Every structure is written in structure tokens, then in C-alpha cells.
Amino acid sequence: VASNVSISYKDNHNFAIKNISFAASPETIISLTGSNKSGKTTLLRSVCGLADGEGALVYGKIHCGEMAMNGIDQTNWARKVAFISDEPASSILGLTVKDELELLTHGNLKQSYELAMAVGLQHKYCQAVSTLSGGEIGRLVLATCLAEKSRHLLLDDATRHVDEKSCEDYAAKLSSHIKDQKLSLVVSDKRLLAYLGKSVSFSLDLTSSKRRLSTTENSEVMDTRSFANTQVQANTQKTIAELKDATILSTDGSKLF
């Protein structure tokens, strides 16, 4: 759940994102839309805890159940919320599909092969990662998320290097796992969304979520790395209460206020 999330950068007085709230419940697919530079990647990376090294300042709360993102180790958070970027191959460590899946299953050959079958890569099990197509790379990264038992998948233009048939197959695999594993999916990939079609629960449009951050506001800005500090949380909540023009969406995508 993201509650009243606003994001700016230390060297910029403009909000990249302002007052966005959404809840990703099991078996939910959220379409993240907006024009170029509207903040889709920024929001996804912030929710995954990856934006703090980029100078991001985050207001609001991001949590999974009772677990606040910034109150736990990044590795533990990644087991809850997985991020698949537009360059998914960069997250693969193994030389072959078998190597990668055995890393994920701590050397358990049976479990690694079952993972390959789950994402349709059993026929590529002993093949070098460097020879996989873009769609096959995407499915291998999906296997990573399944192995980590991530409950929420965030996809940022993840099929950019994938042909249409592979994109369609990838969408089918995603839909199946979302239903079977009771996962949630937040996706900004237009091509993938076209194949997911009626499975999309609601859309979140970021085009109108950008506002100017006043330089006169003497407010406490939260670096994501210090969110766990109780006083910062209190000051941040005060700041959020003072921000105007909140964009709050219901589960059908309508604006509440």
C-alpha cells in the first residue's frame, strides 16, 4: 500500500510525484499510465526502495501489511516487492538457466527444474543465458520473483526488447501466476497491458500528479533511508496533511477527492 506518496529530488523544487495513493491487493493488476517523464519509473523504483541512492526525497508511507518499507533490510523488502526493469537481464547472475535457478533454490535441482517448468523454460534448462531471447529473459526474471516468493510485482516497460508473440506469452504467464499465487501486479508497460486487457483491475494516471514544491515550506523532508526514525515519520505526516490537491483513487480508478 502506498499512502499519500510524494517524491522530489534534492536538487529540484518540483515534485516528480505528488500525493499518490493506491492499494495492491492479491490478484489485482494496476495499470500505471502517464506521459513521458510523468514519474512512472520514479514511483515504481521508490516503492521498491531503489530510489534513495538517486537523491530521492519521499513523503508518505509505503508498506506491505504491517511492514514499512524503510523499517527493514532491502533484501527482506525485495522478497515482498519485486521490481522488473526495462533491462531485466542486468539482474541475472548465472551463466545458464540451470545455474540461475539453482542459485535461487540454493542448489536444489528438483526445485530449480520446477521453476523452469513454471515459466515455460524447461526446454532451455541447460542453455546459456546469453542465447535467450528477450521474452525468455523476462520469464527467467519472473522465475526469480517466484523463487523469492514476492507478493507484489512491479514492471517498468519490461517487454521493451521483446517481440509481439513473446509479449503475449509473457502476459499469459503473468496472468496465470497472479491468479495461482495470489500476487499483485503494477505495470507501466503499454504493450503488456494491451495483452492483459480485461484482467486490469484499475488504472492510476500520473500525468496530473506533479506539483511545485514551495521553497518557503519549512517542512521535514524524508530521505527514504531514514524513514524508520519516529520523529521524521511524525513530521512527514504533518507535511502530507498540509499538501493540497491530493489524488486519491478508489479500486475502480475513480477520483475520490
Side-chain angles (χ1 to χ4, degrees):
V1 177
S3 303
N4 288 351
V5 171
S6 296
I7 306 166
S8 66
Y9 287 91
K10 293 177 181 178
D11 59 351
N12 194 326
H13 293 301
N14 290 325
F15 279 116
I17 297 291
K18 186 173 180 181
N19 286 10
I20 290 294
S21 295
F22 64 89
S25 54
E27 297 185 60
T28 295
I29 299 177
I30 301 173
S31 165
L32 188 62
T33 62
S35 58
N36 289 339
K37 307 297 183 182
S38 61
K40 298 187 293 294
T41 297
T42 297
L43 178 60
L44 291 175
R45 290 184 65 81
S46 295
V47 170
C48 291
L50 300 174
D52 56 329
E54 301 164 1
L57 303 172
V58 179
Y59 303 83
K61 285 186 176 180
I62 300 170
H63 58 93
C64 183
E66 299 298 319
M67 186 181 297
M69 177 185 71
N70 303 96
I72 65 171
D73 178 80
Q74 179 60 43
T75 302
N76 290 328
W77 183 255
R79 294 192 178 104
K80 296 287 186 179
V81 183
F83 178 69
I84 303 178
S85 73
D86 59 354
E87 297 290 346
S90 62
S91 64
I92 296 175
L93 301 176
L95 294 177
T96 67
V97 171
K98 179 176 178 289
D99 289 340
E100 179 69 12
L101 297 181
E102 286 190 342
L103 283 172
L104 297 170
T105 59
H106 306 289
N108 189 310
L109 185 61
K110 181 176 183 291
Q111 288 182 10
S112 70
Y113 191 75
E114 288 174 347
L115 266 180
M117 291 180 65
V119 296
L121 288 178
Q122 66 274 18
H123 61 298
K124 304 280 186 176
Y125 188 63
C126 294
Q127 192 162 315
V129 170
S130 61
T131 66
L132 299 181
S133 68
E136 289 164 347
I137 290 289
R139 281 185 273 165
L140 184 54
V141 174
L142 176 59
T144 302
C145 302
L146 297 176
E148 293 286 0
K149 301 187 184 303
S150 301
R151 307 316 304 162
H152 307 281
L153 308 182
L154 280 63
L155 277 68
D156 181 29
D157 205 12
T159 65
R160 186 159 66 94
H161 303 298
V162 174
D163 61 44
E164 289 301 323
K165 181 62 170 68
S166 297
C167 185
E168 183 178 8
D169 292 344
Y170 188 50
K173 287 292 182 186
L174 276 174
S175 295
S176 174
H177 288 300
I178 288 166
K179 182 177 180 180
D180 294 344
Q181 306 293 327
K182 299 191 181 303
L183 311 177
S184 73
L185 174 68
V186 183
V187 57
S188 65
D189 189 319
K190 291 181 180 179
R191 294 173 65 217
L192 191 57
L193 286 167
Y195 286 111
L196 291 170
K198 293 181 180 179
S199 298
V200 175
S201 306
F202 67 92
S203 295
L204 182 63
D205 187 359
L206 299 186
T207 302
S208 61
S209 71
K210 301 172 79 171
R211 302 287 188 274
R212 181 164 180 78
L213 174 63
S214 170
T215 57
T216 62
E217 289 181 289
N218 185 23
S219 58
E220 187 74 41
V221 178
M222 174 188 59
D223 188 310
T224 56
R225 288 163 294 188
S226 59
F227 183 89
N229 181 277
T230 303
Q231 186 59 49
V232 173
Q233 288 188 53
N235 291 339
T236 300
Q237 289 306 304
K238 178 181 178 182
T239 300
I240 291 299
E242 294 171 350
L243 294 173
K244 299 178 180 180
D245 302 324
T247 303
I248 308 297
L249 297 180
S250 66
T251 55
D252 65 1
S254 59
K255 186 174 180 179
L256 297 180
F257 58 90

